[in-house]
Amino acid sequence: MPEGRIISAMSGFYYVKSNGEIFTCKGRGVFRKKKITPLVGDFVQFDKTNDQEGYIIKIEKRQNELVRPPIANITQAIIVSSVVEPEFSSVLLDRFLVLIEEKRLQPIILITKKDLATEEQLNKVKSYKKTYDKIGYTVKIISSKEKDNLSSLGGMLTNHVTVIAGQSGVGKSSLLNALNPSLVIKTDEISKSLGRGKHTTRHVELVEVNDGLVADTPGFSSLEFQEIEAETLADCFPEMRSKSHLCKFRGCVHYKEPNCAIKRGVDEEEISKERYAHYISFLQEIQARKARY
């Protein structure tokens, strides 16, 4: 039985690449009955009905999966923010980082549009870069117009399946176009009245860039922590994860408990006060979430 990987999904059709060919496939009814949805990135077995079409018979076990964007078997994540248009948001970046960390993916942070920034705006973002560098993240402040930046980024994609995520309008599609002009991914200008980007990418698709696969995904204006519990949130902050075992109480959520190693780390400036404030905000959001049955 032929095997392949789903590289795109639209309107109930799954486009499976197998031995260099693309097959348009439907999912068997058994998937609907079991409430299983094939995802872009899935490795599948399929039954050919002719030279170009078929039915997906089996979905292989996933290494990981993301809910939003819906994609599976990713090896790394690039989170794209921008210095301006839209203005850099550390809280939004931390939201993305938490969701990526929860899947135990290694994030790379790209901050784009430095060519449009004032010196003051650029210095502000550089100070944030120092914070994330200290945590151990790879952070690059770039312009998609600078070839040197793009060549080093292109090397990071080789032999990886990379998801590119970020707020609408930060330049994800422009970045991919610059890396591989043949893609001609549609881009659009910032909606000045809204102060954010228009959603130019309508579906998830894996495209070939620099001997790797990259998922161009729809931009997001909100991200919720539906799969993260209060007790595991700190594990999504590397600088907290490394200290949690030093807390006096097992199950400490690093909020109101005494003798907390995380709060001590904040007081001693080993942990960013702003990152900790974001953590508390996310924690309260999770704790206020309605119980699911």
Side-chain angles (χ1 to χ4, degrees), residues 187-255:
T187 59
D188 209 344
E189 293 182 355
I190 292 294
S191 170
K192 297 293 186 181
S193 60
L194 295 177
R196 57 181 171 82
K198 298 177 181 178
H199 292 257
T200 58
T201 308
R202 302 298 178 183
H203 64 282
V204 180
E205 181 175 2
L206 287 175
V207 293
E208 294 183 4
V209 182
N210 284 64
D211 296 320
L213 290 173
V214 176
D216 188 29
T217 65
F220 307 114
S221 56
S222 66
L223 295 160
E224 298 179 351
F225 303 123
Q226 293 298 327
E227 297 182 42
I228 301 174
E229 301 301 329
E231 295 75 19
T232 60
L233 176 62
D235 288 340
C236 301
F237 286 74
E239 68 273 42
M240 298 184 191
R241 185 167 65 228
S242 64
K243 292 180 178 292
S244 293
H245 69 285
L246 300 173
C247 293
K248 180 177 181 179
F249 297 100
R250 182 177 295 181
C252 180
V253 295
H254 323 301
Y255 185 17

Side-chain angles (χ1 to χ4, degrees), residues 259-271:
N259 298 316
C260 171
I262 302 305
K263 291 192 290 184
R264 186 163 58 249
V266 175
D267 292 339
E268 295 174 357
E269 298 186 352
E270 294 177 356
I271 294 174

Side-chain angles (χ1 to χ4, degrees), residues 46-63:
F46 63 101
D47 185 15
K48 289 197 293 185
T49 53
N50 57 47
D51 288 342
Q52 294 180 314
E53 298 177 327
Y55 278 90
I56 294 174
I57 303 298
K58 181 182 179 183
I59 300 172
E60 302 294 350
K61 184 178 179 180
R62 292 166 180 159
Q63 177 183 339

Side-chain angles (χ1 to χ4, degrees), residues 14-26:
Y14 303 96
Y15 299 87
V16 178
K17 188 169 186 177
S18 177
N19 296 323
E21 296 183 80
I22 307 257
F23 295 86
T24 303
C25 296
K26 297 277 285 184

